[in-house]
Amino acid sequence: DLLTAYAAVDVPETEVMIYEPAYAQIVASAAALAGRRDVSCETFTCAYGFPRRHFKEEQTADLKLIADAIFANGVNQVFWHGKPFQARDGQGDAEFYATVYVGKHGALAEELPAFNAYMEKVSTAMKRGRVYASVAVYLPTEDAWMTSERLTSTDPTWDHWYPAHAMNYTQPPAEVKGWRPLWINRDFLKQGTLEGGLLRVGEQTFSALYLDVYYLDDDALATILGLARAGLPVCLKRLPHQPGLMKSPTFEARVRELQALPNVSADFPRVARGKPLVTGENLPDFWARVDGAETILFFANPKAQDLHLPLGYGQSLATDDVARPIEITANGKTTALTLVFKPYQSILLTIDGNGTYRFEDITFQPKTPVVKMP
């Protein structure tokens, strides 16, 4: 169980681009539920594909796209998957099959100090306080267990055989994006307590549970039914099936009981409480934290959304501003503003208890990237 496993370590860690940036939300959710502050990432692995491609030609603008993507999916500690490898005889540079080159003779050398300073600034901000979340989404663990036979990618250079790859492309449902949801599983649901109809798990408080899975463990169903009976709103998008060979004879009856409760509905707006943190059309990927009365939000440049392996060489190329009108509801106050993403720039902003916002200066202007077709 990925959430339980990641929560068991001191610093949960993901890796990109071997794993999708959105996969980091599983790791970050485990950290938040377990009260861990740091979420690390082995970053820039095979940025342009597996094995190494464009060795010593890596472009900072492309790597910034990756960094912004992981920040918007919950990472707040970057570990470079890069090294200035040197041949044994000391003559020239050796190559490693899965890295980017950060030696003095590489294309990144000139921009490394400023790029590292940028990532340090964002990481520091995204370690403040605690993670913001208002909706818990049940991670489809049983679905993955029931279907996770060895998968072969359509890309012959990469074979998806690691167990976690069964969830490499799993993302929270789009309709709850503005609520900044966290993944949850049966273990953390069992740890939860219901207070005034709100589910409290460690430092996190959820106003609703979102359940959209084909398979659901019998034990998990019992826990969810108990919470729903006690008043927790549940969005039940479809009726789950019982996995495995050992079947409970009461499973289907308990599913029907869950479905019949007045605080359970397939229509999320009917069970949602309050307003989402962020509303707007075509929301960029974002992550949020709360520190006292302040809410800190990092919005990734829209170019950093839906990144997949391999990244195109020069994929970050941008020429125009992108505007996203949004509303942010924090501390009971709603603030309307427009996010204007300059080329290669993401946005970090802070909103205080009075609804007053300020944009933090995280400007880092990389060299204009060169585009090369595969």
Side-chain angles (χ1 to χ4, degrees):
D1 187 305
L2 291 176
L3 279 177
T4 300
Y6 279 121
V9 299
D10 295 322
V11 182
E13 182 173 86
T14 183
E15 181 179 9
V16 293
M17 290 288 292
I18 294 298
Y19 292 92
E20 299 280 291
Y23 177 85
Q25 292 192 47
I26 298 176
V27 185
S29 294
L33 293 168
R36 311 282 192 252
R37 185 192 69 169
D38 297 339
V39 180
S40 65
C41 181
E42 188 177 3
T43 315
F44 313 126
T45 309
C46 303
Y48 298 110
F50 185 94
R52 64 178 177 273
R53 293 175 184 170
H54 302 292
F55 186 71
K56 298 178 71 172
E57 298 178 339
E58 300 89 352
Q59 302 189 90
T60 309
D62 289 341
L63 301 192
K64 184 179 186 297
L65 211 60
I66 296 173
D68 289 346
I70 60 174
F71 289 142
N73 283 281
V75 169
N76 58 19
Q77 180 68 57
V78 171
F79 282 92
W80 274 88
H81 195 294
K83 189 175 180 181
F85 292 95
Q86 191 174 54
R88 282 186 176 183
D89 59 7
Q91 302 300 314
D93 299 307
E95 297 183 2
F96 178 55
Y97 69 92
T99 192
V100 296
Y101 183 80
V102 295
K104 62 183 180 181
H105 302 300
L108 299 173
E110 180 182 345
E111 296 178 287
L112 278 177
F115 184 34
N116 278 329
Y118 165 78
M119 292 190 288
E120 180 182 10
K121 184 177 291 186
V122 176
S123 294
T124 300
M126 300 314 290
K127 291 184 181 184
R128 290 180 52 192
R130 60 170 177 83
V131 170
Y132 174 95
S134 58
V135 172
V137 179
Y138 189 86
L139 185 67
T141 299
E142 292 91 326
D143 288 1
W145 286 346
M146 291 293 287
T147 59
S148 61
E149 296 180 1
R150 183 183 175 96
L151 303 175
T152 301
S153 170
T154 54
D155 180 356
T157 63
W158 178 243
D159 195 5
H160 292 245
W161 66 274
Y162 293 101
H165 279 155
M167 290 188 178
N168 196 12
Y169 306 100
T170 301
Q171 296 196 36
E175 70 174 322
V176 296
K177 182 172 184 176
W179 299 81
R180 193 44 272 155
L182 290 180
W183 292 115
I184 201 165
N185 67 353
R186 65 176 184 175
D187 292 343
F188 282 107
L189 286 171
K190 282 184 175 182
Q191 296 176 27
T193 57
L194 213 59
E195 302 174 10
L198 301 176
L199 177 64
R200 181 177 295 278
V201 182
E203 298 178 341
Q204 302 301 135
T205 301
F206 303 102
S207 62
L209 172 66
Y210 193 104
L211 182 63
D212 184 12
V213 296
Y214 187 86
Y215 290 110
L216 184 65
D217 182 82
D218 183 65
D219 191 28
L221 172 62
T223 300
I224 293 170
L225 180 57
L227 290 169
R229 285 171 177 163
L232 177 67
V234 177
C235 180
L236 183 65
K237 298 301 288 187
R238 51 179 165 162
L239 301 185
H241 298 73
Q242 189 173 183
L245 298 176
M246 304 298 290
K247 305 292 187 183
S248 166
T250 63
F251 183 88
E252 292 185 5
R254 284 179 287 137
V255 168
R256 290 193 295 271
E257 180 186 352
L258 176 65
Q259 184 186 30
L261 291 173
N263 51 309
V264 176
S265 173
D267 184 15
F268 177 69
R270 290 187 59 184
V271 301
R273 292 178 175 177
K275 297 182 66 174
L277 177 62
V278 183
T279 57
E281 296 294 326
N282 197 15
L283 289 179
D285 289 345
F286 73 97
W287 200 257
R289 296 184 70 92
V290 176
D291 188 11
E294 291 192 326
T295 304
I296 307 104
L297 300 102
F298 176 83
F299 293 93
N301 189 293
K303 291 279 287 186
Q305 196 164 340
D306 297 326
L307 301 186
H308 306 286
L309 180 76
L311 198 71
Y313 191 82
Q315 184 173 328
S316 57
L317 181 65
T319 56
D320 300 321
D321 293 356
V322 177
R324 292 283 191 273
I326 64 168
E327 288 186 347
I328 300 176
T329 301
N331 298 308
K333 297 179 176 61
T334 299
T335 303
L337 67 151
T338 298
L339 303 176
V340 179
F341 295 94
K342 299 290 184 182
Y344 313 108
Q345 304 306 309
S346 292
I347 292 173
L348 179 67
L349 66 85
T350 302
I351 296 183
D352 64 20
N354 298 316
T356 303
Y357 64 89
R358 67 179 183 272
F359 290 96
E360 310 292 349
D361 184 8
I362 56 169
T363 303
F364 166 63
Q365 190 66 38
K367 296 177 181 177
T368 302
V370 174
V371 178
K372 290 182 181 181
M373 301 304 293

